[in-house]
Amino acid sequence: MEKSYQPHPVEEEIYQKWEKENAFSPSQKGKVFSIVIPPPNVTGILHIGHALNNSLQDILIRFARLQGKDTLWVPGTDHAGIATQNVLERILMEEGKTRYMLGREAFIQRTREWTEKSREQIVAQLKAMGVSCDWGKQAYTLDEVRTQAVKTAFIRLFNKGFIYRGHRIIHWCPRCTTALSDIEVEHKEIHGKLYTVKYLEKKGRGFLCVATTRPETILGDVAVAVHPSDERYSTWVGRTVLLPIPGIHRELPIIGDEAVDPEFGTGALKITPAHDPVDYEISLRHHLPSIEALNEHARISSDFPAYAGLDRFEAREKVVDALQQAGLLMKVEPYLHAVGHCQRCGIMVEPRLSRQWFLSMKPLAKKALDALDSGKGPAFIPPSWTKVYRRWLEEIRDWCISRQLWWGHPIPAYFCSSCQQYTAAESQPARCPHCEATSLTPDPDVLDTWFSSALWPLSVFGWPKETDDLKRYYPTSILVTAFDILFFWVARMVMFGLEFTDSVPFKEVYIHGLIRDIQGRKMSKSAGNVVDPLEVIQEYGADSLRFAFAYTISEGQDILLSEDKLEGARRFLNKLWNASRLILLNLPPDFVDGQYIPQVEYEWIDRWIWTRLCQVSSEVQQKMALYDFQGVTHLLYDFIWGEFCDWYLEAVKVRYYSSNPEKRRVVLHISVKVLRYLLQLLHPFAPFITEKIWTFFRDSPSSLITSTWKHPEPLLDEQANKRALALFQAFEESVRAIRKFKKITGRAVEEIIEVWQVSLPPELLELVPALSKTTFLSGVSPPWPETVHLTVRYDPVSAPPQFIRYYFEKPDRAVIEKRLEEKRKEMSLRDGRIQSLRDKLKEAEVSGKIPEDVKQKWRVKLQNEETRKQLDEEELIYLRQFL
RNA sequence: GGGCGAAUAGCUCAGCGGUGAGAGCGCCUGCCUUACAAGCAGGAGGUCCUCCGUUCAAAUCGGGGUUCGCCCACCA
């Protein structure tokens, strides 16, 4: 064993060992615990958020596996429609090409090749993190099985009338040249301008003022609307104004519509049905035409020669100039408003009138809401997300599922040019089922990538086929994801699950936060603060990364990842490594592991560590059931470092070197036994190092990963266990007090000093001197003419309280003074506590509202403090004598 | 415009009604003690944001405020 833990060779070796042993495959026995991975996008390398997400899933899977459950974690990747197409277009651009130059088929082929490589890379990264997915069951949203699921789902929804064609205003990305769904649009605050423009009355009788943030869309105006009950404009409704753009003659009727807010701007609204959703609604009510001013690239259409080809911002300037010259621009004010941006490419989206495929969401959402109300779930962790989820479902709008892209699932619908009807089918029908014509053509669009994602928990198990996996592992146990895809993914999976199988695809949803840098900023490529998990693993090891995640995560909070945390995790794991080394290096060659040690062989400190192990184990169980990863890792960290290493191993070390082989055998057996349990408890968080240490045991029947964890049994004599806990407290306090005394008196820690003591429990006669580096003197009274003493709590919960007193030879005057000062401070604090306890108890008698157990605790505490006070006063008298 | 979350030691965070409010890092002091200097031992450091309320009892529960962060939203 290396003196310090070296992660890299170990991680490689251990992962190969697991794969060779098929350790990730389900056992097919016992209670089922299944997870489907949130499939990473094939767009490239994984970021630190993926590392967190997958570490958490792996922790859950490994924990369940150790509990003997039949665990299955299905891995896979997502083809990521727009994102991937954008990446490929960028690559092509570097080569001086466009996708149109390649053509659709060649572009898809090129993309497919690129994603194959990317997928391999992703799998390699996941493996580096130590995840225990069943790699044989890998799925891809664009592979054959998943394609079958997508087609089936589409056809069923189409035939049910849930999928339909709609002509309406959608969000359009002029860069990606595709429609987007509502949630693919991110609203950002923009400092824009509000322009007030004069619209002259047709017959020259006055004018109306209209406020707009987008003067370029005036080109598409078809009317001006006011609120019907707005008195300012009561005489205007029914009259006509002229389009204020010089050179274009268009008459605009003035209409009254409730949708206009009289409070905003001038109270008059220009109506541009082709470029604004509200205007479009109004135009339908008033049977107004729509005029498209901007084309698919957000450039002015060729219908307006003076502006044709200008992009929307250039056009805005030119229109404003023209208005100004014509004297029609009343005023320009700065204006802060939220504007939609494309989630994928970041540019401003355009509201655009277009014909798209939509999915009716109300009926699907209703099922999800009913499931929530009837307790079918899913249950969110933390539960506060339930409200967010519910609200979104309640306010859901139809989902625009068509994309004008090449990369994705082609929409399995065929248009008949003779009867103008669509037919959904797995492949192109020879004849139109409606009119028997042979003039069917496939729909040119592809599906929103989230459509296939929504089917993921079904499709990975082979749905629509009734596979064995589907029957056994679906619905899954838990979904682990970040909150940013709650609507995109989680809600839609629930709706599709209910629609197609009548079940919620996962019982629980664990929602974790995002990873931020040390300054609390979101990690992004543009901010340059992206952390590559592989670099972290390179520097600290995968176990450190995983442990740091679990140690730092807080339910529902974002995580600030810092070098500190990683370094802390590394040190801890190294500590574990060295504790293991101490034990393993002391095992005699003929040591037989797993031997039974009868209770009588346990010394009190063995009993103490075992009792503590039992307590810690059940606490780990409890906390894991609540997904309290932080609680579990803190508990294990504190126990392993603070109790097992600092006290137990330090105390039993002497027995390791004992000349009595029987004594050695017993203590090593107990140490190994405790260590084995600790490795199991820690394994989900730090799989590599724990597995590696496990291999050093003499007769490990199986790998740690597939071992079965059983709750450690407390030793039988409950009284003795309690006494061991009390003895430990006395032990620890004694050693600490003596060390501190040494420090105060200016002695070196390792210098052996003499101590005389009374009332020390016999069990401590060896260990206190050993760890505090002292020699205990015997005799009926202190051997020095002048002494000082220390008082240590023995058993604080017992009544009457017990204390241990240690006597030392009188130190220098300066030391006495220092001690005296310290004692006085201590005593005044104690007096305060005594007083407050007395007051509390007195009040308690009067009010009679305080539970008996609380009062009892206070009484014991008070008794302790008072006894202690007496001892302090004695010591004070002693100390004063020496001045 | 709605909704949510956070404020505790210099930094990052635990604790979420009843012992003297904790940890890691950083800082100070002393140690290379044959498992570990990625370590050991000792120490300093806190009006638990603010006000009001509930309670016998509040860092912890409720309300108002302040500051920061996030999500949702078609007011041009």
Side-chain angles (χ1 to χ4, degrees), chain A residues 148 151-152 155 412 414 424-429 464:
Chain A
Q148 187 55 44
K151 283 181 181 170
T152 306
I155 293 163
Y414 300 87
E426 287 185 18
S427 56
Q428 182 157 350

Side-chain angles (χ1 to χ4, degrees), chain A residues 683-806:
Chain A
H683 178 257
F685 304 96
F688 291 112
I689 187 173
T690 50
E691 183 75 82
K692 180 64 186 177
I693 295 169
W694 192 266
T695 63
F696 291 116
F697 291 124
R698 296 294 158 77
D699 58 347
S700 296
S702 72
S703 289
L704 173 54
I705 184 175
T706 42
S707 70
T708 306
W709 183 86
K710 286 191 197 79
H711 199 290
E713 287 287 324
L715 295 173
L716 279 181
D717 189 342
E718 183 56 27
Q719 277 312 109
N721 291 342
K722 275 191 183 154
R723 179 165 172 79
L725 293 174
L727 278 169
F728 178 76
Q729 188 153 6
F731 170 54
E732 183 185 352
E733 289 206 24
S734 294
V735 172
R736 282 187 194 280
I738 295 169
R739 280 175 183 160
K740 195 173 167 182
F741 181 80
K742 277 188 178 177
K743 187 94 177 176
I744 292 170
T745 53
R747 316 288 191 99
V749 193
E750 66 280 6
E751 187 188 337
I752 305 218
I753 64 164
E754 294 182 322
V755 178
W756 183 84
Q757 52 71 36
V758 286
S759 68
L760 189 70
E763 292 96 329
L764 301 186
L765 282 172
E766 261 181 61
L767 286 179
V768 171
L771 290 223
S772 62
K773 308 269 170 141
T774 46
T775 309
F776 278 2
L777 301 174
S778 53
V780 287
S781 60
W784 311 285
E786 293 180 335
T787 64
V788 293
H789 67 245
L790 273 180
T791 309
V792 166
R793 204 150 46 136
Y794 170 28
D795 183 357
V797 288
S798 72
Q802 294 176 38
F803 294 88
I804 301 165
R805 201 174 260 189
Y806 297 95

Side-chain angles (χ1 to χ4, degrees), chain A residues 18 59 62 542-544 546-547 572-573 576 679 681-691 704:
Chain A
W18 288 332
I59 287 165
R62 284 181 188 268
D543 287 338
S544 294
R546 296 168 57 120
F547 190 85
F572 169 63
L573 295 174
L576 173 75
L679 292 176
L681 291 173
L682 206 53
H683 178 257
F685 304 96
F688 291 112
I689 187 173
T690 50
E691 183 75 82
L704 173 54

Side-chain angles (χ1 to χ4, degrees), chain A residues 125-196:
Chain A
Q125 288 180 1
L126 287 171
K127 288 183 177 180
M129 293 166 195
V131 303
S132 55
C133 303
D134 187 350
W135 295 109
K137 291 193 155 66
Q138 246 187 100
Y140 176 41
T141 53
L142 212 52
D143 64 20
E144 255 179 62
V145 179
R146 267 44 70 176
T147 298
Q148 187 55 44
V150 164
K151 283 181 181 170
T152 306
F154 185 95
I155 293 163
R156 287 195 195 171
L157 291 168
F158 179 89
N159 292 338
K160 224 173 156 176
F162 285 7
I163 287 179
Y164 63 92
R165 294 282 282 173
H167 185 64
R168 62 179 69 164
I169 296 268
I170 43 85
H171 296 289
W172 178 270
C173 175
R175 220 275 332 139
C176 306
T177 57
T178 179
L180 302 172
S181 65
D182 298 336
I183 53 178
E184 282 167 298
V185 174
E186 288 175 355
H187 289 88
K188 288 183 204 166
E189 294 264 282
I190 295 287
H191 290 276
K193 287 176 183 149
L194 186 66
Y195 303 84
T196 304

Side-chain angles (χ1 to χ4, degrees), chain A residues 810-841:
Chain A
K810 196 199 98 178
D812 296 343
R813 188 189 168 92
V815 173
I816 304 265
E817 272 169 5
K818 202 171 170 188
R819 174 103 187 116
L820 207 55
E821 191 192 329
E822 208 175 63
K823 201 84 246 180
R824 285 201 190 102
K825 214 164 116 190
E826 209 177 288
M827 286 174 76
S828 93
L829 284 172
R830 175 166 293 121
D831 283 342
R833 263 177 270 138
I834 288 173
Q835 196 51 49
S836 97
L837 277 168
R838 280 188 185 142
D839 292 348
K840 276 194 203 169
L841 279 165

